[in-house]
Amino acid sequence: MNKTDLVAAMAEKAEVSKKDAEKVLKAFTDVVADALKNGDKVQLVGFGTFEVSERAAREGRNPRTRETMMIEASKAPKFKAGKALKDMLNA
């Protein structure tokens, strides 16, 4: 399912226009991204939790030249599914 399909499904389920559903989806992604950027986590009970994962600096290898190089520390978004979502998928 891509973004267009998701917007169409949301519009149908909520009985709103696709334009309104797209605005809501955009607002949701913006709010979650801003919260993660500020170091907060977003927890949706029954669905899951969005949080930031810290990756330590490490040594890597360039696959083309096989020379060793340092990979800088970074942050990455992480999603952990909630119990209700896991149960629904496994039912």
Side-chain angles (χ1 to χ4, degrees):
M1 177 179 278
N2 61 27
K3 183 179 176 182
T4 306
D5 297 337
L6 179 59
V7 168
M10 287 173 54
E12 184 179 326
K13 188 90 165 178
E15 297 177 357
V16 297
S17 70
K18 287 183 182 179
K19 194 171 197 174
D20 289 342
E22 188 169 9
K23 283 182 188 177
V24 171
L25 180 60
K26 174 81 170 119
F28 173 76
T29 57
D30 289 348
V31 168
V32 170
D34 288 343
L36 294 177
K37 189 175 181 180
N38 293 331
D40 299 330
K41 73 178 183 179
V42 178
Q43 186 173 357
L44 303 172
V45 176
F47 184 72
T49 304
F50 296 92
E51 57 189 335
V52 177
S53 174
E54 303 275 340
R55 292 184 179 167
R58 62 193 190 279
E59 198 173 273
R61 190 175 300 274
N62 183 333
R64 183 175 293 159
T65 63
R66 299 213 182 261
E67 69 182 58
T68 303
M69 56 191 241
M70 278 304 290
I71 300 172
E72 295 179 14
S74 64
K75 296 178 183 180
K78 183 169 89 173
F79 176 75
K80 182 179 178 189
K83 184 177 182 339
L85 180 59
K86 288 180 189 176
D87 291 346
M88 185 180 73
L89 293 175
N90 292 311

